[in-house]
Amino acid sequence: MYIPLDHYRILGLPIQATAEQLRQSHRDRALQLPRREYSEGAIAARKQLLDEAYAVLSSPEQRQSYDANFLAKTYDLTPEVAAALNGDSPQSSDRSDAHTPSIEIHDAQLIGALLILQELGEYELVLKLGRPFLTGGSASVRDGRFGDPKIVYADIVLTVALACLELGREQWQQGQYENAAEALETGQQLLLREGLFASLRGEVQSDLLKLRPYRVLELLALPETQVSDRQRGLQLLRSMLQERGGIDGTSADQSGLNVDDFLRFVQQLRSYLTAEEQQELFEAESQRPSAVATYLAVYALLARGFAERQPGLIQRSNLLLQRLGGRQDVNLEQAVCTLLLGQTELASRSLDQSQEYESIAFIREHSQNSPDLLPGLCLYAERWLQEEVFPHFRDLANRRAALKEYFADRQVQEYLETLPPSPVAEEAVVPAVAWRSVAQSSTVGASVAPRSQPAVVLEAEAAQRNLQPHSDEHDSPDTLVEVARARIAARSLAGSERSNGSVATMAAAERVEPTQAGSRARRGDRGRNASRSDSSAERGDGDAGRPARPGSKPSRLLIPLIIFGVVTFGAGVAWALRNWQASTAPIVAEKPLPAISPSVSPSATVAPKPSPAATLTEQTSQELLQSWLAAKAAAMGQKHDIDQLDRVLLEPKLSYWKSQAQLVNRDRSYIVYKHDIVKVSSVDQSKEKPDQAKVVAEVSEMREEYDEAGKLRNSAKDQNLKIRYSLVRQNSGWRIQDWEVLS
C-alpha cells in the first residue's frame, strides 16, 4: 500500500540536506520516542520507516535515483526530463500521482506511517486514513495482515484521538473555537466509545473545559439571527455559572479562571448580549443570592426599561436597588430610577443622601437657575445612560438616550399617571407634561451652562486626597475602596481619557493586574474562612462607592467589581483570559474575539525553507534561555519587573509567569533565583514549520523565598534539570512558548 510520505519528510529534512544532517536527524528522530501508550509494534514500525528512509538517502546512488523521481512527482516533470535526471529510460519513472510524493509500505508498517504523519502535524490526513479502520467501513484490521488486530486497533484509536486533540489545539490557537471544540469532542467520543486511554481522555476533557469561555464569546458574538448557536453559548455560560456557584462563586469549573478573571470575562461578554438576555441571566443569578449579579440585573432592567419605554422594568430595577441600599451607597442610581418614575421627592431625597460629591457638584452646577436639582439630574441621567449604561448592551450600544422622548411616550405617561404614591414620600406623580418641560429645559441648559472645572482635574484632586500610605494590613473595606478609586483616577489622569467606559475598553484591558486593595480584601476574606455567600458579597459590595459625572470616571456598573480587585483600567493592550494550565493549553490570542474564519487544513500550506537569519543554533538557543532565566529572576525578585517576560515568553507561559509574579508582588514577598550556565544538548528546528523548534537543555536552579520583612522563608535547589523547550519565531525573534521537564 502507498502512503503520502517521502523519505525526506520522514526524517524531517529538506531535499538539500547534507549527509551530516541526514545522520543527525536520523539519530534524533530515532531517540525521540512517541507517547508511552503506543505498543512495541507501533514503535518498531515507526523505526523501520526511519531506518529505510535513512538507508536510501545515505547512499549516493540510491539518493540520486530517488531525487529524480521525487522531483518528477513534486514538480510534475515529464518522463523524459525525469529520465534525463535519473540517467535511465522513461519507463523507470514512477507512475503514481505526479503531484503527491508517496512511498510504498508493508501492511505491518501502517501504524508507523500514521504515527509519523501525526508527528508531522498532518492531523486531518491522519483522520482521513485512520477513521475507515474504526468505523467498520472498507478498511479493517480483523484479518491480521496489519498485525495483532487488538493491538493495531488500539494503536489506531490512539493515533486518531491524538490527531483530534492536536487539531483542536491548532484551531484553538487560530481562534476557531467551535471548530476546535468539534475536533476535541470527536476524540473524546472515540475514547469513551472504545473505553481506552483514560489519561488521554482526561487531557481532552481538560482542554474542552478550558475552551468554554472562548466558545461562549464566539457563539454570543454571532448575529442574532443564529438563534440556536447563540442559545448554545448561553447554555455553556449557565453551565459554568452553575459549576462555579455563581458569578462570584469560588467552586471550580476547570476553566482556569479565578474569581477576578471570571468577573472580567463576564464584563467582556456583556457587549455580546442584548438587554433582554442580560436581564434574564442576571436576574436569575441574583437569586443565589449574588450582589454582583443583582447590580448587573439593575442595569439591564434600567436600560431595557428606558429604551423600550417600559417604566415597569425601571420599577423592578429600583426594588433591586433597595435591596442593595442597606449595604452600599446606591443613592445616585436610585435618584435616576425615581426620576424616570416621576417621583421627584424621592429623587431629591436620594440626592441629599448620596456621598458622590463630584457627581452632586455636577448636578448642582447645571441646576443653578432652578429651585431644585431636577434640571441637573435630568442632564446627568441622560449622559449616564448614554455613556455608561447603553454601551454594555448589544442592542443599545448605538441607541440615543433622550429623556424628552422617554417622557413624551404615551405608554410612559399612562404608567406614570397610574403609579401609586410612594409609601415613604407620600408624593403625587408629576404629570407627564411637566416632565416634558423639565427634560426640555435640561437639554437647553446643557448647551449653554459651562462646566466649572474639568473632570480630569476633579479626578486628580481625588487622587491626591486618597493616595495615602496604608500601613495596616487589615484596612477597613471603606479604605480599600478609596485606594482603588484613587488609583483608577490617577490612571485616568496619566493616560488618555477612556471612551465612554464601554465594554470594548474592558475587552482591551481585561487582563490588567488587580489592585492591591482588592488582593488585601481577598486575603482578609480567606483569613476569616468566609465562603462566597451573599453575606460575603454584602461585605464587599457595601464598600463600593459611586462614580463622578458621566465620562469622568469608570462606569458605575464596575463599582462592585472593584471590591473583587478587577477594575484596574490602566493599559490599552488586550490580554485574553489567562491562568490556563501550562502543560496543555494552546496559544491564546491576546485580543478581543477575532473574526470567525473557516478551518484550514494543516497540510494546505507549504512551509517555506528557513532563511539563514531564521535558523536556530545552539548559541542563539542558549542566549534565549539565559534571557528567560534572567527575566524570571527579575520578575520574581524584589523589584518585580515583569516587563522583561514579554521579550522572551509567549502564551501560555507568558500569562502564567506574569500571574505568578503578580501574586508574589501582592503578598509583598519575593524570590531570589540563581542559575548555573545553561547547557544546550540539542536543537530541533522543524522543517515543515520552520518557525517552530524544540530545544533540550540542562539547567541547575537555586531559589530562596523571602517574606515581606525580608526574612528567608524557604529555599530549594534543583540540580541538572533536563528540560525540553518549545520555541516559536515571531517578528524575526525567537520566543519560548512552553516547556516540559524530562528529568
Side-chain angles (χ1 to χ4, degrees), residues 339 373-383 403 435 438-439 442:
L339 169 71
L373 299 179
L374 291 182
L377 179 59
C378 286
L379 177 59
Y380 178 91
E382 191 172 76
R383 289 191 180 182
L403 264 67
W435 279 113
V438 169
S442 67

Side-chain angles (χ1 to χ4, degrees), residues 224-238:
E224 292 182 51
T225 54
Q226 297 182 234
V227 178
S228 59
D229 290 335
R230 297 189 75 254
Q231 285 299 317
R232 187 163 74 253
L234 283 170
Q235 184 56 46
L236 286 172
L237 175 60
R238 291 190 181 99

Side-chain angles (χ1 to χ4, degrees), residues 39 49 98 180 198 243 331 387 410 478 486 504 518 580 589 678:
S39 68
L49 292 173
E243 293 171 20
N331 289 290
E387 299 175 3
R410 175 166 294 185
D478 288 333
W580 305 91
V678 178

Side-chain angles (χ1 to χ4, degrees), residues 154 347 423 543 638:
D543 311 315
Q638 284 184 286

Side-chain angles (χ1 to χ4, degrees), residues 237-253 255 257-270 273 277-298 532-534 536-537 541 557 560-561 564 566:
L237 175 60
R238 291 190 181 99
S239 298
M240 294 178 68
L241 289 168
Q242 185 63 32
E243 293 171 20
R244 299 182 70 91
I247 295 176
D248 46 352
T250 56
S251 299
D253 65 352
S255 67
L257 302 180
N258 58 29
V259 175
D260 293 345
D261 295 330
F262 192 77
L263 286 167
R264 293 188 187 94
F265 165 63
V266 170
Q267 180 68 355
Q268 182 181 358
L269 66 84
R270 292 182 63 240
L273 294 172
E277 289 169 339
Q278 290 193 38
Q279 176 197 332
E280 293 178 358
L281 178 66
F282 297 131
E283 269 196 308
E285 286 297 313
S286 69
Q287 302 303 315
R288 286 190 182 272
S290 166
V292 173
T294 301
Y295 217 102
L296 294 172
V298 164
R532 284 203 179 261
S533 61
D534 188 43
S536 64
D541 287 342
L557 176 59
L561 308 187
F564 301 96
V566 299

Side-chain angles (χ1 to χ4, degrees), residues 35 165 169 188 191-192 196-210 584:
R35 289 179 65 113
L165 174 61
R169 289 175 173 176
Q188 185 185 54
L191 294 171
L192 286 171
L196 297 171
F197 309 113
S199 62
L200 178 58
R201 195 162 67 241
E203 287 184 45
V204 177
Q205 178 65 12
S206 177
D207 274 16
L208 278 170
L209 293 174
K210 292 184 177 70
T584 58

Side-chain angles (χ1 to χ4, degrees), residues 10 50 126 135 332 335 389 430 532 606 656 697:
I10 289 174
L50 292 172
V126 170
T135 58
L332 208 47
V389 177
V430 176
R532 284 203 179 261
V606 178
Y656 175 79

Side-chain angles (χ1 to χ4, degrees), residues 513-543:
E513 176 189 5
T515 62
Q516 188 175 11
S519 177
R520 291 183 183 176
R522 289 193 297 278
R523 289 202 299 271
D525 288 342
R526 289 197 294 269
R528 293 187 292 272
N529 295 323
S531 63
R532 284 203 179 261
S533 61
D534 188 43
S535 60
S536 64
E538 292 175 10
R539 286 194 299 273
D541 287 342
D543 311 315

